[in-house]
Amino acid sequence: MASASAFEYAPAPESRSVVDIAPSYGLFIDGEFTEAADGKVFKTVSPSTEEVLSEVAQAGAEDVDRAVKAARRAFEKWSALPGSERAKYLFRIARIIQERSRELAVLETLDNGKPIKETRDADLPLVAAHFFYYAGWADKLDHAGFGANPRPLGVAGQVIPWNFPLLMLAWKIAPALATGNTVVLKPAETTPLSALFFADICRQAGLPKGVVNILPGYGDAGAALVEHPDVNKVAFTGSTAVGKAIARQVAGTDKKVTLELGGKGANIVFDDAPIDQAVEGVVTGIFFNQGQVCCAGSRLLVQESIHDELLDSLKRRLSTLRLGDPLDKNTDIGAINSAEQLSRITSLVEQGEAEGAERWSPACALPSSGYWFAPTLFTNVTQAHTIARDEIFGPVLSVLTFRTPDEAVAKANNSQYGLSAGIWTEKGSRILAVASKLRAGVIWSNTFNKFDPTSPFGGYKESGFGREGGRHGLEAYLDV
Amino acid sequence: MSEKTDKTEQQRLSVFKTYKLYVGGKFPRSESGRVYEVTDSKGKWLANAPLSSRKDARDAVVAARKAFGGWSGATAYNRGQILYRVAEMLEGRKDQFVREVADAEGLSKSKAGAVVDATIDRWVWYAGWTDKIAQVVGGGNPVAGPFFNLSTPEPTGVVTVLAPQESSFLGLVSVIAPVIATGNTVIVIASEKSPLPALSLGEVLATSDLPGGVVNVLSGKTAEIAAPLAAHQDVNAIDLAGADDVLAKELEIAAADNLKRVVRPQAVDYSRTPGIERLTAFLETKTVWHPTGALGASGSSY
C-alpha cells in the first residue's frame, strides 16, 4: 500500500520457527487430548494465505456432555481448594504464558490473520496480565464486596469469538478459575489453535484434570454447551443475534448468564480536539484488528466545522497504513479472519454504496491469496444508512457530522448498541458532560481501544449484560 | 367509615374511593374502561380496581421514558431527599395503609401496623442508599499505563416490575424503591389480588416531590399487562418478582428480544433488611478512560 512513497520497506517477517503446529489436534477433556465421539474433524486455515494449518477434532453434543461431566467431577475438589492454592495455579499459568508469549503471538497471527505487532504487543501482554490480576483475587474473595465467603457457581460453559481468541479465553477462564468454578470452553471454529496450546499450558502448570476443558467446534457445540442441564453459568462473547438466542435458551433456568455482544461505537471529534491525536485515535478505533472488534469506533462523528480538515488528515494517514503479511513486523492491517466474514463485510459495503454513501479507500494492492479488505471510509453517511446502524466488523468507517454537543450525544446514542464511545476535545468539562450522557459501557476520552484487566468492560442496551475485568468481573462467577 | 362516626352521625354515609391508576403523575382510569372486583381475604368486596389494558402499559412506558432524563440526571442527594419525603408522607397516612394492608392480607390491625412500619423504614433505608451506592460499587481502577479510568454505576433506564403477589405493600416497596433510588424509572404491576395499597401509594408519591412518571402504578391481570411490557423495545429491564415459574419463563424469553436485564423470581423474606442485589441489578457500569500525561518517572522528590 505504501507504493506511493519514495522508499519501500524491506520485509521484516517474524520467524515461524518458534511455533510447532501439529498436523492434528484433539479435544481437551479431563486433562487428555481425545478424538470427537463421532470422529469428526475440521481444518483451520491461515486467513492470510489460506494454507491449512492443522486438522482439529470437532466437538458434538456427546463431547460436550463428556466435558461437562469432567468439569463437574473436578469442581468438587477445585472449589474446595484454599483460594491461595488456586491463586498459585493461576500465577503459574500467567508465568508460562509470559515465557511462551512469542510462540503464542506467532501462532495467533497465523491462525487469526491479525498483525504480529498486535498479537505481540497487545494480545499476549493482556492475556498474561488477566491471569495475574485474577490470580490475586482467588484468596481475597471475602474482600471483593460480595459479602463474606462468596461461593462459586459450578461448571461454567464459555463460548468465545475469533477476533481475540486467546484474550477472550483469558477474560473467561481467569475469573472463573479464581472464583473456584471449572470450565468448558468452546473456541471459535476459525481460531481453535491458541486455546489448544493453552490446554498444554494447563498441563505444564499441573492444573488438576477436568478444571479446564477445551472443545473446538461450531455453533451446534456452543448451543449444546449453553443448553446442557449441568452447566451453571453461561458466558458468551459474540454476535447480538446469538446473544439473544442464548438469552432465550437460558430463560426459566437457574443459569447465570453474561453476554458481551456487538457494538457500533461512536468516536466523537469536537472542533477543539488535537487533530493529529484524534486522527491516530480514529485509526486505532476502527482499523485495530481490521476493525474486527466489538468496541470498534465504527462511527466517526465529526463536528461540521472541522470536517474537511479532519478528513484530509485521516485520508493522508490511511495512505501510510501498510496492509499485507501479518507476520511482517511493519504490517498495520492484516487479513480478515475468514472468507465468510470477508463476504459479510463486502456485502455491507456494497449496501453502503447502494444507499448513496460515498466510498473511499487509499490506493492499496491486496495479496492474491487469503482474505483481504482495504481500509475503507464512507462519507455523506446519514443515521438511516445501514452502514451507520449495523455492525460491520471490518475495516470500514462511517463518517457523520454534528454541530452541537447535544446533537453529538443524540446521534451517538441513536443505536441499539451501547458498548463503547470516544470523545476528542481539549475541554475537560465537555469530556465529563458528554461522557455522562453517552449510553455506553466504556468511554475513551482522547484515547481509544485501551484495555486493562483491572477495568470493567461491557455494554449497555443490546451490547449485552454483565462486566468482564476488574472487581466487577468476579460477580459473574459468584453466587451473589 | 368508623363506628364512632356512625354513632354520632347516624345518617352519615361514608364516601367510597374510586381507585385509579397512577401514570405520568396523573390518576387516569384504565383506557379500556374496565374494572375488576377487589375483595378482602374473606371475600368481602372492597373496591373496584382498574383492569389495565396493553394500551395503559404502553402509556406508562412513554411516561417512564419521558421522566428518565430528569430523574436519572438529578443529584443522588436530591433523589435521597425525595425518597425520604415519601417516607414522611407515608408516616402521615399510616392509618389508611394499615387498614388497606389488613384487608388485603387478612392481618390483624397490629400485624398490619408492623408491616406498614417496616415498609416506611424500608423507604428510609433506600433513601440513604442513593448517594452511597456509587462509592460502594464504583471507583477508580489501577490501570497499567499512563491513563486513569473511573467506573461509575448508572441507571439502566425504564424498568418494569411485577410486584410480589402476596406482600401487597412491604413487598411492593421492596421492589420499587431500589429501582428508583438508583435513578431508573419504573412501571409497577400491583399484586393482582391485592392492588389497593399499591394504588394508594400512587397518591402518596404524587405528593412527595417525586416527578410524575418516575413511578407508574398499574393494576389488573399481571400476566396480561406484563406480556406487552416484557416485549416492549423501550423497556430496559424487568423484575419478575410477582410471576409464577411458567409466566416468568415466558416473559424472560420475550425480554431477550432487546436483551432486557432480567431479575428472576426468587424466594425472598421481605421482612428482612435486603442486600444491595436489587440496587445493582438495575445499574450499568460505565468506565471512562483518560490519558494522565506524565511528569517524568520519579515525580516530585520531597
Side-chain angles (χ1 to χ4, degrees), chain A residues 5 12-13 33 44 59-60 71 114 124 130 185 213 271 315 325 338 350 353 389 442 467-468:
Chain A
S5 65
F33 283 102
T44 185
K114 63 168 73 184
L124 263 297
H130 267 89
L185 177 132
N213 303 275
D271 58 7
K315 286 178 177 176
D325 180 6
S338 65
E350 281 165 2
E353 279 189 296
R389 309 201 67 81
V442 190
R467 292 295 180 271
E468 292 181 291

Side-chain angles (χ1 to χ4, degrees), chain A residues 374-456:
Chain A
T376 299
L377 279 186
F378 273 106
T379 49
N380 290 333
V381 179
T382 75
Q383 297 180 82
H385 280 132
T386 306
I387 51 167
R389 309 201 67 81
D390 288 9
E391 187 179 40
I392 298 175
F393 224 65
V396 182
L397 180 65
S398 299
V399 184
L400 297 93
T401 61
F402 68 88
R403 289 183 181 177
T404 64
D406 271 356
E407 189 187 345
V409 168
K411 283 184 169 167
N413 286 341
N414 181 15
S415 168
Q416 71 182 107
Y417 298 113
L419 188 50
S420 73
I423 304 167
W424 299 85
T425 169
E426 289 284 47
K427 194 169 178 180
S429 57
R430 183 173 287 159
I431 289 173
L432 297 175
V434 172
S436 74
K437 286 189 181 134
L438 293 174
R439 303 282 293 163
V442 190
I443 306 212
W444 289 289
S445 21
N446 292 331
T447 184
F448 208 93
N449 266 347
K450 291 289 180 293
F451 304 93
D452 189 271
T454 67
S455 305

Side-chain angles (χ1 to χ4, degrees), chain A residues 331-342:
Chain A
T331 291
D332 298 305
I333 309 252
I336 301 301
N337 182 251
S338 65
E340 187 193 358
Q341 183 59 20
L342 179 60

Side-chain angles (χ1 to χ4, degrees), chain A residues 244 248 250-253 255 261 435 438-445 450 452 455-456 459-461 464 467 472, chain B residues 137 141-144 147 149 151 154-156 252-253 256-261 264 284-291:
Chain A
K244 288 180 182 180
R248 286 183 201 106
V250 300
T253 70
K255 288 174 188 169
L261 310 175
L438 293 174
R439 303 282 293 163
V442 190
I443 306 212
W444 289 289
S445 21
K450 291 289 180 293
D452 189 271
S455 305
Y460 284 45
K461 299 197 273 187
R467 292 295 180 271
H472 294 74
Chain B
V137 302
N141 306 305
V143 180
F147 300 93
N149 72 28
S151 290
E154 290 192 345
T156 297
E252 189 176 344
I253 290 170
D257 229 29
N258 70 335
L259 293 162
K260 283 180 189 67
R261 282 57 176 146
R264 293 177 181 143
E284 300 292 336
T285 296
K286 176 186 278 179
T287 302
V288 180
W289 291 65
H290 196 279

Side-chain angles (χ1 to χ4, degrees), chain A residues 239-450:
Chain A
S239 75
T240 290
V242 176
K244 288 180 182 180
I246 289 173
R248 286 183 201 106
Q249 277 175 355
V250 300
T253 70
D254 291 333
K255 288 174 188 169
K256 196 162 174 170
V257 61
T258 45
L259 304 170
E260 296 285 358
L261 310 175
K264 191 75 191 174
N267 218 343
I268 307 169
V269 185
F270 287 96
D271 58 7
D272 67 343
I275 293 283
D276 290 347
Q277 287 173 41
V279 165
E280 282 307 306
V282 169
V283 169
T284 308
I286 183 60
F287 299 113
F288 180 65
N289 199 18
Q290 295 72 247
Q292 301 168 131
V293 184
C294 51
C295 54
S298 52
R299 285 183 296 157
L300 173 62
L301 298 181
V302 52
Q303 197 152 17
E304 209 172 83
S305 54
I306 56 160
H307 174 270
D308 293 353
E309 183 190 357
L310 187 86
L311 260 288
D312 286 348
S313 289
L314 189 57
K315 286 178 177 176
R316 195 163 52 237
R317 178 68 182 90
L318 288 191
S319 302
T320 67
L321 290 177
R322 298 174 54 77
L323 176 147
D325 180 6
L327 276 177
D328 191 318
K329 293 164 198 165
N330 291 321
T331 291
D332 298 305
I333 309 252
I336 301 301
N337 182 251
S338 65
E340 187 193 358
Q341 183 59 20
L342 179 60
S343 79
R344 193 174 304 149
I345 296 168
T346 308
S347 86
L348 277 163
V349 163
E350 281 165 2
Q351 197 169 345
E353 279 189 296
E355 289 175 12
E358 205 167 295
R359 178 180 177 176
W360 181 89
S361 287
C364 184
L366 301 181
S368 52
S369 63
Y371 318 124
W372 302 91
F373 200 88
T376 299
L377 279 186
F378 273 106
T379 49
N380 290 333
V381 179
T382 75
Q383 297 180 82
H385 280 132
T386 306
I387 51 167
R389 309 201 67 81
D390 288 9
E391 187 179 40
I392 298 175
F393 224 65
V396 182
L397 180 65
S398 299
V399 184
L400 297 93
T401 61
F402 68 88
R403 289 183 181 177
T404 64
D406 271 356
E407 189 187 345
V409 168
K411 283 184 169 167
N413 286 341
N414 181 15
S415 168
Q416 71 182 107
Y417 298 113
L419 188 50
S420 73
I423 304 167
W424 299 85
T425 169
E426 289 284 47
K427 194 169 178 180
S429 57
R430 183 173 287 159
I431 289 173
L432 297 175
V434 172
S436 74
K437 286 189 181 134
L438 293 174
R439 303 282 293 163
V442 190
I443 306 212
W444 289 289
S445 21
N446 292 331
T447 184
F448 208 93
N449 266 347
K450 291 289 180 293

